[in-house]
Amino acid sequence: MAESALSPLTATADGLCDFVDASPSPFHVCRTAADRLLAAGFTELSESDPWPAVGDHFVVRAGSLIAWRSGGPADAGAFRPFRIVGAHTDSPNLRVKQHPDRFVAGWQVVALQPYGGAWLNSWLDRELGVSGRLSVRAGNAVEHRLVRIDEPLLRVPQLAIHLAEDRKAVELNPQRHVNAVWGVGGGTRSFLGHVADRAGVDAAEVLGFDLMTHDVAPSRRVGADGALVSAPRLDNQATCYAGLQAFLAAAAGGAVTPVLVLFDHEEVGSQSDHGAQSELLLTVLERITLAAGGGREDFLRRLPESMVASGDMAHATHPNYPDRHEPGHLIEVNGGPVLKVQPNLRYATDGRTAAAFALACAQARVPLQRYEHRADLPCGSTIGPMTAARTGIPTVDVGAPQLAMHSAREVMGAQDVADYSAALHAFLSPG
Ligand code: ZN
């Protein structure tokens, strides 16, 4: 097995910016991660093929990816438990409708709709590109091709303040108010034709598509001393990146089998053939065991000692809204990774798994912050509780602090990128 030359310290704020800018859609997150895994000596496997007994491997199912370093049975003949870092590849955004072309009052308009809990106001008056996947006819088969247009192609214009009924509160209707303009004039131009052209395919051969918009402004360090990262999709590409770097640095052949799982569809409930509610992770874990010569009994015996760190972003205390936060649990940007606890199981953390992550932070020599949501506000959730319920593996919910979650543009601490990755690395390399 190839030992990775990378260390968790290679997770940096600038590295995160590069990762995010390379990954405008969940499909591109998988592509970016796959390219880095391949460069580190991993092999991509097909779910339809038999799998090798041991080695460094990954599989991609649409917008989800699972990677692992399997050493097979340890010397004693028993399989090691899994240590799993999980994250999600999708982020809220505006997605292209099947018949997107509209011609309104001399404008050429592209019909969009929100995906997940997009904070709609943040998508207005931004230059937007388009990315995703085209499913293209190739004879009697269909090929799936990634596409991305990083130029400023679309813009969702805000209403002028002078035309608002109520200047204090403009309500955005997801059907009427998030369509984008991309030109003026006659009603013949086809948006899908334009995207197909740019992808180098014949528009008539495009039989299906999954297209979405993204902010084309590059990610960057901001603040007087560059202490912050301003970027789109930090929720949850910051964990995809920090988790990937931690995983690449995790040695094979230790006390555990390290696994990285990046799920699509978290922002819409994870109920799909490759979301966290699917059988994908459980199937892959069983197949890793079977391929290495184990049986179902060996697989089931691995699970109780295994553990998942469900990584997703955490709310830093907002300077303009400190009252929205639990006063006993203020969370600081650049103050270290965050343990997320919610006793009604919006997060999966319990005392056992909290202790495991606290130990990982201590081993990585990074501070740990403990988040509790205000009891009088509804709390978001993560892949943590469903992964725990689906697999029976004890799970801890963790994250890095950020502001403006679900905005088209979010902000986090530059130092937190390295500290978060170091903690995840220690979690993947216990003892
Ligand atoms: Zn998230």
Side-chain angles (χ1 to χ4, degrees):
M1 277 152 288
E3 281 295 325
S4 169
L6 294 166
S7 86
L9 298 179
T10 60
T12 63
D14 292 336
L16 171 61
C17 290
D18 291 343
F19 185 95
V20 170
D21 291 347
S23 312
S25 76
F27 309 113
H28 288 87
V29 175
C30 290
R31 189 68 257 154
T32 304
D35 287 344
R36 292 174 184 205
L37 288 162
L38 290 168
F42 282 69
T43 306
E44 180 167 6
L45 302 179
S46 161
E47 290 188 78
S48 312
D49 291 339
W51 288 0
V54 296
D56 297 346
H57 299 116
F58 67 97
V59 292
V60 177
R61 193 189 281 184
S64 297
L65 177 149
I66 302 181
W68 63 93
R69 313 191 73 171
S70 171
D75 292 338
F79 284 88
R80 303 179 184 98
F82 298 105
R83 272 289 170 120
I84 303 166
V85 165
H88 65 87
T89 59
D90 60 325
S91 302
N93 56 21
L94 301 178
R95 299 211 168 181
V96 178
K97 289 188 175 177
Q98 289 292 301
H99 292 303
D101 295 313
R102 305 272 190 282
F103 302 94
V104 184
W107 292 97
Q108 295 176 333
V109 173
V110 175
L112 302 174
Q113 60 187 316
Y115 169 85
W119 210 203
L120 294 183
N121 60 299
S122 69
W123 285 84
L124 305 179
D125 300 341
R126 280 181 196 276
E127 279 68 57
L128 303 177
V130 166
S131 75
R133 184 180 64 180
L134 299 178
S135 296
V136 183
R137 181 171 179 164
N140 283 329
V142 176
E143 287 176 356
H144 309 290
R145 302 212 195 159
L146 297 194
V147 58
R148 63 183 298 170
I149 301 175
D150 282 329
E151 289 122 57
L153 187 61
L154 302 170
R155 186 177 172 105
V156 183
Q158 183 147 219
L159 183 67
I161 193 170
H162 317 87
L163 303 178
E165 280 176 37
D166 178 355
R167 292 189 180 193
K168 287 197 181 130
V170 175
E171 205 172 306
L172 295 171
N173 177 302
Q175 167 68 19
R176 294 163 55 209
H177 298 150
V178 298
N179 299 313
V181 297
W182 73 303
V184 292
T188 55
R189 190 146 61 162
S190 157
F191 182 71
L192 294 175
H194 181 85
V195 173
D197 268 2
R198 293 296 307 272
V201 304
D202 181 351
E205 304 296 310
V206 176
L207 304 181
F209 62 86
D210 304 273
L211 293 174
M212 59 203 78
T213 59
H214 63 278
D215 178 8
V216 297
S219 305
R220 60 187 305 179
R221 302 277 288 272
V222 300
D225 48 7
L228 305 172
V229 177
S230 162
R233 305 182 295 282
L234 290 176
D235 174 13
N236 190 15
Q237 289 190 23
T239 307
C240 294
Y241 170 72
L244 175 65
Q245 295 298 100
F247 173 77
L248 285 170
V256 299
T257 296
V259 178
L260 176 73
V261 55
L262 308 178
F263 281 123
D264 199 355
H265 295 152
E266 190 274 345
E267 298 291 357
V268 291
S270 298
Q271 196 162 38
S272 72
D273 66 303
H274 55 283
Q277 293 207 49
S278 74
E279 87 325 323
L280 176 61
L281 176 61
L282 212 52
T283 301
V284 167
L285 297 180
E286 181 164 4
R287 287 192 65 183
I288 293 169
T289 311
L290 297 176
R296 184 157 173 82
E297 166 99 349
D298 296 301
F299 164 61
L300 295 173
R301 287 177 61 197
R302 295 180 95 165
L303 299 183
E305 300 299 320
S306 297
M307 196 174 288
V308 176
S310 155
D312 207 334
M313 299 304 276
H315 299 296
T317 302
H318 198 301
N320 297 346
Y321 303 87
D323 55 311
R324 307 305 289 172
H325 299 267
E326 159 60 55
H329 291 262
L330 300 186
I331 301 295
E332 290 180 23
V333 156
N334 287 336
V338 180
L339 178 81
K340 296 155 72 175
V341 180
Q342 214 275 341
N344 298 305
L345 290 185
R346 302 297 289 164
Y347 304 137
T349 310
D350 68 5
R352 293 172 300 172
T353 59
F357 191 67
L359 192 58
C361 288
Q363 284 176 0
R365 299 180 199 281
V366 297
L368 172 65
Q369 309 189 76
R370 293 177 187 251
Y371 180 81
E372 295 249 11
H373 206 66
R374 277 189 71 104
D376 54 3
L377 287 178
C379 184
S381 191
T382 69
I383 61 163
M386 14 192 132
T387 304
R390 197 78 186 81
T391 62
I393 299 176
T395 299
V396 59
D397 266 297
V398 303
Q402 70 159 100
L403 295 181
M405 194 177 286
H406 289 199
S407 171
R409 196 84 184 179
E410 303 171 328
V411 66
M412 70 177 291
Q415 179 60 40
D416 282 329
V417 180
D419 287 355
Y420 186 29
S421 192
L424 294 174
H425 175 256
F427 179 83
L428 288 170
S429 315

PDB file of all heavy atoms in Angstrom, residues 120 171-178:
ATOM      1  N   LEU A 120     -32.276  32.943  -0.112  1.00  0.00           N
ATOM      2  CA  LEU A 120     -32.505  33.473  -1.464  1.00  0.00           C
ATOM      3  C   LEU A 120     -31.963  34.879  -1.667  1.00  0.00           C
ATOM      4  O   LEU A 120     -31.443  35.205  -2.735  1.00  0.00           O
ATOM      5  CB  LEU A 120     -34.001  33.438  -1.790  1.00  0.00           C
ATOM      6  CG  LEU A 120     -34.626  32.037  -1.894  1.00  0.00           C
ATOM      7  CD1 LEU A 120     -36.096  32.131  -2.281  1.00  0.00           C
ATOM      8  CD2 LEU A 120     -33.865  31.173  -2.894  1.00  0.00           C
ATOM      9  N   GLU A 171     -40.204  40.227   0.378  1.00  0.00           N
ATOM     10  CA  GLU A 171     -40.362  38.774   0.448  1.00  0.00           C
ATOM     11  C   GLU A 171     -40.077  38.187  -0.927  1.00  0.00           C
ATOM     12  O   GLU A 171     -40.605  38.674  -1.934  1.00  0.00           O
ATOM     13  CB  GLU A 171     -41.790  38.455   0.875  1.00  0.00           C
ATOM     14  CG  GLU A 171     -41.891  37.112   1.550  1.00  0.00           C
ATOM     15  CD  GLU A 171     -43.270  36.902   2.149  1.00  0.00           C
ATOM     16  OE1 GLU A 171     -43.736  37.753   2.942  1.00  0.00           O
ATOM     17  OE2 GLU A 171     -43.883  35.893   1.768  1.00  0.00           O
ATOM     18  N   LEU A 172     -39.250  37.159  -0.985  1.00  0.00           N
ATOM     19  CA  LEU A 172     -38.886  36.550  -2.265  1.00  0.00           C
ATOM     20  C   LEU A 172     -39.702  35.282  -2.478  1.00  0.00           C
ATOM     21  O   LEU A 172     -39.652  34.360  -1.660  1.00  0.00           O
ATOM     22  CB  LEU A 172     -37.395  36.223  -2.283  1.00  0.00           C
ATOM     23  CG  LEU A 172     -36.483  37.451  -2.231  1.00  0.00           C
ATOM     24  CD1 LEU A 172     -35.030  37.024  -2.024  1.00  0.00           C
ATOM     25  CD2 LEU A 172     -36.612  38.277  -3.506  1.00  0.00           C
ATOM     26  N   ASN A 173     -40.414  35.234  -3.589  1.00  0.00           N
ATOM     27  CA  ASN A 173     -41.203  34.058  -3.945  1.00  0.00           C
ATOM     28  C   ASN A 173     -40.312  33.132  -4.786  1.00  0.00           C
ATOM     29  O   ASN A 173     -39.753  33.569  -5.805  1.00  0.00           O
ATOM     30  CB  ASN A 173     -42.428  34.522  -4.747  1.00  0.00           C
ATOM     31  CG  ASN A 173     -43.273  33.362  -5.215  1.00  0.00           C
ATOM     32  OD1 ASN A 173     -42.798  32.478  -5.929  1.00  0.00           O
ATOM     33  ND2 ASN A 173     -44.530  33.355  -4.822  1.00  0.00           N
ATOM     34  N   PRO A 174     -40.155  31.860  -4.379  1.00  0.00           N
ATOM     35  CA  PRO A 174     -39.202  30.980  -5.078  1.00  0.00           C
ATOM     36  C   PRO A 174     -39.614  30.654  -6.509  1.00  0.00           C
ATOM     37  O   PRO A 174     -38.786  30.228  -7.315  1.00  0.00           O
ATOM     38  CB  PRO A 174     -39.194  29.714  -4.211  1.00  0.00           C
ATOM     39  CG  PRO A 174     -40.469  29.753  -3.437  1.00  0.00           C
ATOM     40  CD  PRO A 174     -40.821  31.202  -3.250  1.00  0.00           C
ATOM     41  N   GLN A 175     -40.874  30.841  -6.851  1.00  0.00           N
ATOM     42  CA  GLN A 175     -41.339  30.625  -8.223  1.00  0.00           C
ATOM     43  C   GLN A 175     -41.095  31.863  -9.087  1.00  0.00           C
ATOM     44  O   GLN A 175     -40.635  31.757 -10.222  1.00  0.00           O
ATOM     45  CB  GLN A 175     -42.835  30.270  -8.209  1.00  0.00           C
ATOM     46  CG  GLN A 175     -43.534  30.326  -9.562  1.00  0.00           C
ATOM     47  CD  GLN A 175     -43.065  29.241 -10.518  1.00  0.00           C
ATOM     48  OE1 GLN A 175     -42.483  28.228 -10.110  1.00  0.00           O
ATOM     49  NE2 GLN A 175     -43.312  29.446 -11.801  1.00  0.00           N
ATOM     50  N   ARG A 176     -41.355  33.049  -8.544  1.00  0.00           N
ATOM     51  CA  ARG A 176     -41.381  34.251  -9.382  1.00  0.00           C
ATOM     52  C   ARG A 176     -40.107  35.084  -9.321  1.00  0.00           C
ATOM     53  O   ARG A 176     -39.816  35.826 -10.266  1.00  0.00           O
ATOM     54  CB  ARG A 176     -42.561  35.129  -8.961  1.00  0.00           C
ATOM     55  CG  ARG A 176     -43.919  34.493  -9.247  1.00  0.00           C
ATOM     56  CD  ARG A 176     -45.026  35.179  -8.462  1.00  0.00           C
ATOM     57  NE  ARG A 176     -45.044  36.609  -8.717  1.00  0.00           N
ATOM     58  CZ  ARG A 176     -45.465  37.528  -7.838  1.00  0.00           C
ATOM     59  NH1 ARG A 176     -45.900  37.161  -6.652  1.00  0.00           N
ATOM     60  NH2 ARG A 176     -45.453  38.803  -8.155  1.00  0.00           N
ATOM     61  N   HIS A 177     -39.356  35.020  -8.228  1.00  0.00           N
ATOM     62  CA  HIS A 177     -38.348  36.051  -7.992  1.00  0.00           C
ATOM     63  C   HIS A 177     -36.901  35.589  -8.091  1.00  0.00           C
ATOM     64  O   HIS A 177     -35.993  36.370  -7.795  1.00  0.00           O
ATOM     65  CB  HIS A 177     -38.584  36.695  -6.619  1.00  0.00           C
ATOM     66  CG  HIS A 177     -39.908  37.379  -6.524  1.00  0.00           C
ATOM     67  ND1 HIS A 177     -40.618  37.494  -5.356  1.00  0.00           N
ATOM     68  CD2 HIS A 177     -40.669  37.980  -7.482  1.00  0.00           C
ATOM     69  CE1 HIS A 177     -41.751  38.131  -5.578  1.00  0.00           C
ATOM     70  NE2 HIS A 177     -41.813  38.440  -6.865  1.00  0.00           N
ATOM     71  N   VAL A 178     -36.636  34.325  -8.472  1.00  0.00           N
ATOM     72  CA  VAL A 178     -35.235  33.888  -8.569  1.00  0.00           C
ATOM     73  C   VAL A 178     -34.863  33.464  -9.990  1.00  0.00           C
ATOM     74  O   VAL A 178     -33.861  32.779 -10.205  1.00  0.00           O
ATOM     75  CB  VAL A 178     -34.901  32.754  -7.564  1.00  0.00           C
ATOM     76  CG1 VAL A 178     -35.096  33.229  -6.136  1.00  0.00           C
ATOM     77  CG2 VAL A 178     -35.717  31.501  -7.843  1.00  0.00           C
TER      78      VAL A 178
END
